[in-house]
C-alpha cells in the first residue's frame, strides 16, 4: 500500500482520509493517509491557532462538507457505495449523531461557528481512523522516488517519514506583520489579544486586506472600541463573494472549468474568491457607519509619534499617507509557505518541473488534473494553488469531495506496493 502524507490535519486531510476509508470499505484500493499536525485535528479553526477565536462563523454552508458534492466515480460499480458511505460522514449525519439536527433546521440552517466546524471535522477524523502524527513538518527532502519528511515532535524528538506522495494544506503561519510596532498586529496577535479581551481601544483603526482573513477580523473589530475603521485593499471597492447559482456551481463542480479561457478563469477568481468578503460578513458590516474603504496597496509603514503611518499606492492617483492608532495586518496566508520546507534537492526538482524562479504565477499554471505539480516525481499535491488550473473550489471548502476524488484517483492508487515507514527516529535531537 502506498502512503500519502498530508502536511496539516485540516479539512483537506480529513476529506482525503474519509474518502480513502470509504474506498477501502467498498473494496476499492486506496493509499494509506498520514496527517502530520502539531495541534489537534482542525486546529486552525480553534482559538489559539492564530486564524480565528473559534467564535467566527463559517462563510460557506456547512453542507459543503468533506464529501460534497457527493459525485464520486471512483471504482467501477462501487461509486454508489462510496457516496453512501461518505453521506454517513456528512455535516447532517454529524448533527443527527449529536442530536442537533432538528434544532439546526428549525433555526434556519445557520452557518456554524468555527469551533463547531472543528468538532465536525474531528468527529469525521475519529470515525475514519485518521492516522495523525503529532508534530510539525520541518523539512521535505527527496530520496529516489519518495519523499523524506522530517517531523519535529511536540517534545524534543525528531523523526523522518518516507512517503510516496505529499499534500500541502493550510495558509501557513499567521504571525506576519508589515512593521514591528506595538500598534501593528499580525492576525495571530489580533486573535490572541481578542481571546484575552486585551485588544486596545482605537480612534482610527486600519485592517489591511480584502479577503476572508480581513473580513473575520473586521467582524470582530466592530464589536470593540474603535471609532473609525478603514479597510485597506487595492481594489476599487470591497467585493462580496458572488453566491448566485452560476458562481457557486463553478466552485462546486469544477468539471466546466477547463472550458474557460485563462482570462475568464482569472476574472471569475478575481470577482468571487481572492480579496472578497463573504456575503455574511458584508451583510453584517454594511450597516455600520464607522467602516470605510481606502483603496490602495500599502507600500511603506513607519512609526510617527504614537501613531502608525501607512503610505498607500494607487495606479491612477498620487501616493498618500494615512495615520492610524491600530493596524491589523490581515493580508492572509502565503500560498508558497511550504517552499521554505524544501531542502536543496527538493527545490531543484521542483524548479525543473516549474521553471525558475519558483513563484505563484508559475506554480498555478502547472497543477495537473489530480492537483499535483505536473511532471514532478515524487508527487506533490498542491490543492491550495489549483484554483486557476483546475477550479476555484479546490483551494477552499467548496468541493472537498471532488478534491479527494482527484487526489486518490491519481497514479498513487494504481502503482505497486510501497510502504511509508518511520525510517529513522532520533529521540532527544
Ligand atoms: C479565518 C478564515 C476563514 C475561512 N473561512 C472559509 C469558509 O468559510 N469557507 C471556505 O471555503 N474557505 C474558508 N477559508 C479558506 C480555506 O478554506 C481555509 O483556510 C481551510 O482551512 C483550508 O483547509 P486546509 O485543510 O487546507 O487547512 P487548515 O484547516 O488551515 O489546516 C492546516 C493545518 O496545517 C497545520 N500546519 C501548519 N504548518 C504545519 C507544518 N509545518 N507541519 C504540519 N502541520 C502544519 C496547521 O496546524 C493546521 O491545522 C477561511 C480561511 C480563513 C483564514
Amino acid at each position: 500500500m502506498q502512503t500519502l502524507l498530508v502536511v496539516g490535519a485540516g479539512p483537506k486531510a480529513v476529506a482525503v482520509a474519509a474518502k480513502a476509508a470509504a474506498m477501502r470499505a467498498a473494496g476499492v484500493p486506496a493509499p494509506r493517509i498520514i496527517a502530520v499536525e502539531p495541534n489537534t485535528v482542525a486546529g486552525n479553526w480553534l482559538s489559539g491557532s492564530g486564524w480565528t477565536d473559534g467564535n467566527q462563523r463559517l462563510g460557506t454552508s456547512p453542507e459543503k462538507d468533506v464529501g460534497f458534492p457527493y459525485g464520486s466515480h471512483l471504482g467501477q460499480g462501487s461509486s454508489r457505495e462510496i457516496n453512501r458511505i461518505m453521506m454517513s460522514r456528512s455535516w447532517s449525519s454529524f448533527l443527527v449523531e449529536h442530536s442537533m439536527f432538528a434544532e439546526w433546521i428549525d433555526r434556519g440552517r445557520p452557518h456554524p461557528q468555527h469551533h463547531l466546524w472543528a468538532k465536525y471535522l474531528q468527529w469525521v477524523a475519529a470515525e475514519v481512523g485518521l492516522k495523525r502524527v503529532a508534530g510539525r513538518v520541518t523539512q521535505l527532502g527527496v530520496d529516489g522516488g519518495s519523499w523524506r519528511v522530517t517531523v519535529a515532535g511536540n517534545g524534543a524528538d525528531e523523526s523522518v517519514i518516507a512517503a510516496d506522495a505529499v499534500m500541502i494544506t493550510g495558509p501557513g503561519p499567521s504571525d506576519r506583520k508589515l512593521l514591528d510596532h506595538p500598534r501593528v498586529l499580525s492576525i495571530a496577535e489580533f486573535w490572541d489579544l481578542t481571546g484575552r479581551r486585551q485588544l486596545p481601544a482605537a480612534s482610527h483603526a486600519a485592517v489591511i486586506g480584502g479577503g476572508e482573513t480581513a473580513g473575520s477580523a473586521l467582524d470582530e473589530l466592530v464589536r470593540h472600541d474603535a471609532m473609525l475603521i478603514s479597510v485597506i485593499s487595492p481594489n476599487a471597492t470591497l467585493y462580496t463573494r458572488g453566491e448566485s447559482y452560476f458562481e457557486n456551481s463553478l466552485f462546486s463542480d469544477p468539471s466546466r472549468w477547463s472550458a474557460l479561457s485563462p482570462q475568464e478563469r482569472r476574472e471569475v477568481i478575481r470577482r468571487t474568491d481572492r480579496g472578497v468578503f463573504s456575503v455574511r460578513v458584508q451583510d453584517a458590516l454594511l450597516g455600520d457607519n464607522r467602516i470605510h474603504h481606502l483603496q490602495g496597496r500599502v507600500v511603506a509603514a513607519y512609526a510617527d509619534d504614537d501613531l502608525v503611518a501607512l503610505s498607500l499606492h494607487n495606479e491612477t492617483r498620487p501616493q498618500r499617507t494615512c495615520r492610524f492608532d491600530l493596524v491589523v495586518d490581515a493580508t492572509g496566508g502565503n500560498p508558497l509557505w511550504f517552499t521554505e520546507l524544501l531542502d536543496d534537492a527538493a527545490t531543484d526538482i521542483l524548479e525543473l518541473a516549474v521553471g525558475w524562479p519558483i513563484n505563484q504565477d508559475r506554480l498555478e499554471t502547472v497543477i495537473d488534473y489530480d492537483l499535483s505539480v505536473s511532471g514532478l516525481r515524487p508527487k506533490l499535491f498542491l490543492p491550495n494553488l489549483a484554483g486557476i488550473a483546475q477550479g476555484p473550489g479546490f483551494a477552499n471548502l467548496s468541493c472537498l469531495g471532488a478534491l479527494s476524488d482527484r487526489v486518490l484517483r491519481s497514479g498513487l492508487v494504481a502503482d505497486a506496493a510501497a510502504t511509508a515507514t518511520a525510517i529513522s527516529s532520533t529521540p532527544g535531537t
Side-chain angles (χ1 to χ4, degrees):
M1 191 194 295
Q2 294 213 309
T3 294
L4 166 62
L5 183 144
V6 186
V7 182
K12 297 195 181 91
V14 175
V16 171
K19 184 64 62 66
M23 288 166 69
R24 278 193 290 273
V28 178
R32 180 207 321 225
I33 313 297
I34 296 177
V36 181
E37 168 64 58
N39 304 314
T40 67
V41 170
N44 267 6
W45 299 87
L46 295 169
S47 152
S49 66
W51 289 104
T52 176
D53 61 354
N55 295 322
Q56 306 305 307
R57 287 189 184 272
L58 203 60
T60 42
S61 163
E63 284 163 300
K64 294 201 166 188
D65 53 26
V66 297
F68 187 82
Y70 295 97
S72 282
H73 297 291
L74 293 161
Q76 307 74 2
S78 309
S79 302
R80 281 183 65 187
E81 176 65 357
I82 291 171
N83 287 327
R84 196 191 58 73
I85 297 170
M86 288 305 291
M87 281 304 288
S88 70
R89 320 285 188 220
S90 67
W91 167 253
S92 304
S93 296
F94 164 74
L95 294 181
V96 170
E97 180 96 0
H98 294 83
S99 308
M100 297 191 297
F101 187 60
E103 184 181 349
W104 181 68
I105 296 287
D106 289 344
R107 287 187 186 276
R109 301 167 174 246
H111 291 206
Q113 290 174 296
H114 287 168
H115 65 81
L116 184 58
W117 179 244
K119 273 214 166 59
Y120 160 64
L121 295 168
Q122 289 169 352
W123 172 77
V124 178
E127 291 285 302
V128 305
L130 169 66
K131 180 165 171 37
R132 181 174 76 89
V133 173
R136 182 173 292 280
V137 172
T138 53
Q139 193 172 63
L140 292 170
V142 281
D143 185 8
S146 44
W147 290 99
R148 288 173 56 91
V149 182
T150 307
V151 178
N154 290 339
D157 56 314
E158 187 176 77
S159 59
V160 178
I161 302 175
D164 303 286
V166 162
M167 179 166 91
I168 306 291
T169 68
S174 57
D175 53 6
R176 184 178 58 176
K177 60 179 186 176
L178 77 168
L179 180 69
D180 190 13
H181 185 283
R183 287 258 152 191
V184 178
L185 305 179
S186 66
I187 200 68
E189 288 171 326
F190 174 81
W191 287 118
D192 179 47
L193 290 173
T194 302
R196 292 194 278 124
R197 300 181 192 283
Q198 288 176 4
L199 199 64
S203 55
H204 191 179
V207 175
I208 307 175
E212 199 63 49
T213 306
S216 293
L218 199 55
D219 203 15
E220 182 60 38
L221 201 54
V222 292
R223 288 170 234 208
H224 293 259
D225 287 336
M227 289 166 70
L228 192 62
I229 305 169
S230 295
V231 185
I232 301 176
S233 76
N235 297 330
T237 180
L238 293 177
Y239 288 106
T240 310
R241 186 195 150 136
E243 292 286 357
S244 77
Y245 165 71
F246 298 104
E247 288 151 332
N248 280 340
S249 65
L250 278 175
F251 280 72
S252 303
D253 175 12
S255 61
R256 290 189 293 126
W257 191 246
S258 57
L260 303 181
S261 70
Q263 291 86 334
E264 286 169 325
R265 294 181 195 188
R266 290 194 187 276
E267 172 76 358
V268 171
I269 286 183
R270 189 182 62 74
R271 293 177 67 124
T272 60
D273 194 26
R274 281 193 199 148
V276 291
F277 288 156
S278 64
V279 174
R280 195 192 52 74
V281 167
Q282 186 94 315
D283 284 349
L285 302 177
L286 270 182
D288 196 316
N289 60 11
R290 292 172 299 162
I291 299 175
H292 298 269
H293 175 232
L294 274 180
Q295 187 188 5
R297 192 173 289 283
V298 178
V299 288
Y302 52 91
D304 186 0
D305 290 333
D306 285 347
L307 299 179
V308 179
L310 300 181
S311 300
L312 306 186
H313 172 77
N314 281 292
E315 292 295 327
T316 52
R317 273 177 268 139
Q319 195 159 306
R320 60 177 162 161
T321 299
C322 304
R323 287 166 180 76
F324 305 93
D325 54 359
L326 183 67
V327 174
V328 184
D329 186 343
T331 44
N334 170 13
L336 299 187
W337 70 273
F338 67 93
T339 55
E340 290 174 14
L341 302 177
L342 301 172
D343 72 5
D344 288 349
T347 304
D348 283 350
I349 60 164
L350 184 61
E351 261 174 27
L352 276 175
V354 175
W356 186 87
I358 299 169
N359 57 33
Q360 189 169 342
D361 281 352
R362 282 177 198 274
L363 269 169
E364 280 181 335
T365 53
V366 296
I367 304 296
D368 266 344
Y369 184 84
D370 68 2
L371 313 182
S372 73
V373 178
S374 186
L376 180 65
R377 294 292 180 277
K379 277 187 184 282
L380 179 65
F381 295 98
L382 298 178
N384 289 353
L385 284 157
I388 294 282
Q390 299 300 335
F394 290 118
N396 42 65
L397 311 178
S398 298
C399 58
L400 291 169
L403 180 151
S404 59
D405 282 1
R406 295 231 185 157
V407 169
L408 294 173
R409 217 182 203 168
S410 66
L412 258 182
V413 183
D415 288 351
T419 42
T421 33
I423 56 176
S424 76
S425 184
T426 49
T429 50

